[in-house]
């Protein structure tokens, strides 16, 4: 009996896992089906004084630095709270909100990017031309996906089918046309340490997996030549597809520009710009943001370069009536420390997305991460001081070494839609309390019945 009982006293005891917060648990039963009612324009506005008392208590840096902030009523545009809202700040990845607006306005939410195979100068040559899709899959197209909607295996099979109809036998050579983008592939304003860490990589108008070797990977080195990697993957699949049709394919790939009037042999289409913008915002994808910025420039007649991208962002915001004179735009992903944007400008951008007259911008709403649930906010809003914002706050995050930002929207306890932007600069690197400060401020907006 002692032998049987003893392990109960002396065996290591496992620490029970912390229970999931209620909003992250699977529901025990389905809720009754009901429609979502529109917001009531007569819902009361928060009183600025009471709102300020809550936000001033929350927006305190953990160590050095300071926060700037703006809160607006989305419907009227009334400023309900402001702390140095006109002061230029390093915004980190909140820059992607500006890029989203530029892409949706200049390219269009339902536009897709085409990756094509064109006939070369000789029947034995085909040209793989990039059209801006950097979410290509190596395998077959997956029409229901965003990452990998267009697949190189499908493109290769369709190319072989077209060549077989023309009686081409090979040996076939593949050329790569990635001339859509111009200027430096790497922005000189980016830290090489960030590049080495995989925060971004040299930019090309075609790439697999968002410019990564493996889809869904976070961090770590990225391909140095994503376009050539995609072309080599395409060639391997072309060779496999050609073997069954009696068409031989050489493995070497060289760069060459396709003729303007070249015949299109096959093509695959990307996910829509709407879907790509949502993916960019939810995951804060730097590579995709920079590509969308260049595509926005090209769509409006500019160059497919970094300068073209920043100019396109500035132009599109200006056309919305947002003052851009003070802005300093060094990139469109937010990696550069040379960017300067105010919280007032970000609040106006979020207001344009939620409530402005250009309804194309509503396409970005689904991409804002949801507090405690999705994207870059999925592991936040889990303690008692921020729980009131979980599932309610939707906001774009931003983080650099001494920078933190949060800009988004929330419906308060009285049913009023509020837009906000909070940015901290000069902060103590790694200080955990700064994220919590922003989350507490946003949670205060969600629970506010500040009347």
């Amino acid at each position: 009996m002692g032998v049987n009982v003893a392990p109960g006293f002396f065996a290591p005891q496992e620490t029970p896992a912390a229970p999931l917060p209620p909003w992250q648990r699977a529901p025990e039963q389905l809720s009754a089906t009901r429609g979502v009612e529109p917001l009531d324009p007569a819902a009361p506005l928060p009183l600025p004084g009471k709102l300020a008392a809550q936000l001033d208590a929350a927006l305190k840096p953990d160590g050095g630095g300071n926060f700037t902030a703006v809160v607006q009523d989305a419907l009227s545009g009334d400023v309900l709270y402001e702390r140095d809202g006109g002061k230029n700040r390093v915004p980190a990845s909140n820059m992607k909100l500006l890029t989203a607006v530029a892409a949706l306005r200049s390219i269009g939410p339902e536009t897709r990017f085409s990756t094509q195979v064109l006939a070369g100068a000789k029947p034995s040559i085909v040209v793989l031309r990039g059209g801006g899709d950097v979410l290509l899959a190596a395998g077959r197209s997956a029409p229901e996906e965003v990452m990998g909607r267009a697949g190189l295996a499908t493109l290769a099979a369709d190319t072989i089918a077209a060549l077989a109809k023309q009686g081409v036998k090979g040996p076939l050579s593949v050329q790569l046309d990635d001339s859509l983008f111009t200027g430096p592939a790497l922005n000189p304003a980016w830290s090489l340490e960030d590049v080495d860490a995989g925060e971004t990589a040299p930019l090309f108008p075609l790439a697999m997996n968002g410019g990564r070797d493996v889809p869904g990977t976070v961090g770590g080195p990225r391909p140095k030549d994503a376009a050539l990697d995609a072309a080599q993957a395409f060639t391997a699949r072309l060779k496999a597809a050609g073997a069954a049709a009696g068409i031989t394919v050489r493995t070497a790939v060289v760069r060459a520009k396709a003729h303007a009037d070249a015949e299109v042999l096959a093509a695959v289409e990307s996910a829509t710009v709407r879907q790509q913008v949502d993916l960019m915002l939810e995951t804060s994808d730097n590579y995709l943001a920079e590509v969308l910025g260049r595509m926005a420039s090209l769509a409006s007649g500019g160059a497919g370069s970094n300068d073209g991208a920043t100019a396109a962002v500035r132009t599109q915001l200006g056309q919305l009536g947002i003052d851009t004179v003070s802005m300093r735009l060094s990139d469109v992903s937010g990696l550069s420390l040379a960017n300067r944007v105010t919280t007032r400008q970000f609040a106006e951008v979020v207001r344009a997305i939620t409530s402005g007259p250009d309804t194309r911008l509503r396409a970005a709403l689904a991409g804002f991460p949801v507090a405690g649930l999705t994207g870059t906010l999925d592991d936040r809003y889990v303690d008692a001081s921020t729980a009131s914002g979980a599932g309610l706050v939707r906001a774009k995050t931003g983080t650099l070494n001494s920078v933190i930002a949060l800009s988004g929207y929330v419906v308060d306890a009285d049913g009023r839609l509020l837009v906000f932007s909070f940015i901290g600069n000069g902060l103590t690197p790694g200080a955990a309390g700064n994220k919590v400060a922003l989350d507490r401020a946003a949670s205060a907006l969600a629970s506010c019945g500040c009347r």
Side-chain angles (χ1 to χ4, degrees), residues 200-295:
T200 192
L203 292 158
F204 298 94
L206 76 162
M208 296 182 294
N209 312 316
R212 291 195 179 278
D213 291 318
V214 180
T217 304
V218 178
R222 290 176 181 255
K224 302 300 182 187
D225 193 334
L228 185 59
D229 286 357
Q232 289 171 339
F234 168 74
T235 302
R237 281 145 186 83
L238 193 70
K239 189 171 185 178
I247 299 176
T248 58
V249 179
R250 294 189 174 101
T251 56
V253 178
V254 297
R255 280 183 161 92
K257 191 168 183 178
H259 291 289
D261 57 351
E263 176 191 0
V264 178
L265 299 172
V268 286
E269 302 289 317
S270 73
T272 64
V273 168
R274 172 198 301 270
Q275 293 171 312
Q276 294 190 54
V277 163
D278 285 351
L279 178 64
M280 172 193 70
L281 293 177
E282 185 173 321
T283 62
S284 201
D285 190 310
N286 294 315
Y287 196 92
L288 182 55
E290 294 293 340
V291 168
L292 287 173
R294 283 158 175 73
M295 295 303 289

Side-chain angles (χ1 to χ4, degrees), residues 141-343:
S141 298
E144 302 305 315
E145 301 295 328
V146 179
M147 182 82 74
R149 185 187 190 277
L152 293 174
T154 297
L155 184 62
D158 291 348
T159 301
I160 290 296
L163 292 172
K165 286 182 179 180
Q166 296 178 1
V168 174
K169 295 297 182 182
L172 200 65
S173 297
V174 176
Q175 296 179 346
L176 167 63
D177 183 352
D178 58 354
S179 61
L180 188 65
F181 290 173
T182 55
L186 272 179
N187 189 330
W190 292 335
S191 162
L192 291 181
E193 292 181 359
D194 286 338
V195 176
D196 291 341
E199 294 294 338
T200 192
L203 292 158
F204 298 94
L206 76 162
M208 296 182 294
N209 312 316
R212 291 195 179 278
D213 291 318
V214 180
T217 304
V218 178
R222 290 176 181 255
K224 302 300 182 187
D225 193 334
L228 185 59
D229 286 357
Q232 289 171 339
F234 168 74
T235 302
R237 281 145 186 83
L238 193 70
K239 189 171 185 178
I247 299 176
T248 58
V249 179
R250 294 189 174 101
T251 56
V253 178
V254 297
R255 280 183 161 92
K257 191 168 183 178
H259 291 289
D261 57 351
E263 176 191 0
V264 178
L265 299 172
V268 286
E269 302 289 317
S270 73
T272 64
V273 168
R274 172 198 301 270
Q275 293 171 312
Q276 294 190 54
V277 163
D278 285 351
L279 178 64
M280 172 193 70
L281 293 177
E282 185 173 321
T283 62
S284 201
D285 190 310
N286 294 315
Y287 196 92
L288 182 55
E290 294 293 340
V291 168
L292 287 173
R294 283 158 175 73
M295 295 303 289
S297 176
L298 288 164
S300 53
S305 64
N306 179 70
D307 288 346
T310 55
V313 166
R314 187 183 297 276
T315 297
Q316 293 299 328
L317 294 179
Q319 290 176 3
L320 283 172
I322 296 172
D323 183 11
T324 64
V325 173
S326 66
M327 283 185 181
R328 300 293 179 265
L329 305 182
S330 179
D331 69 14
V332 296
S333 62
L335 267 181
S336 173
L337 289 168
N339 292 313
R340 295 291 187 276
V341 186
T342 71
T343 50

Side-chain angles (χ1 to χ4, degrees), residues 70-111:
V70 167
V71 178
Q72 284 181 280
D73 174 55
L75 185 61
S76 66
D78 291 348
V79 176
L80 305 174
Y81 178 83
E82 184 165 12
R83 181 194 293 182
D84 291 330
K87 185 176 182 180
N88 261 343
R89 309 291 271 170
V90 180
S93 282
N94 273 204
M95 278 294 301
K96 295 181 178 72
L97 291 171
L98 313 187
T99 307
V101 167
L104 291 170
R105 280 178 54 85
S106 60
I107 309 171
E110 307 309 323
T111 300

Side-chain angles (χ1 to χ4, degrees), residues 27-60:
E28 295 180 358
Q29 62 184 20
L30 294 177
S31 301
T33 302
R34 61 181 183 180
V36 178
E37 296 181 358
L39 294 175
D40 181 3
L45 283 168
L47 292 177
K50 291 192 174 183
L51 187 61
Q54 295 197 32
L55 296 182
D56 286 342
L59 290 172
K60 294 180 178 178

Side-chain angles (χ1 to χ4, degrees), residues 343-367:
T343 50
R344 186 181 301 155
Q345 289 162 333
F346 276 116
E348 288 288 355
V349 166
V350 178
R351 184 173 173 239
I353 293 171
T354 62
S355 319
D358 190 341
T359 56
R360 291 173 296 181
L361 301 185
R362 305 290 188 273
L365 289 173

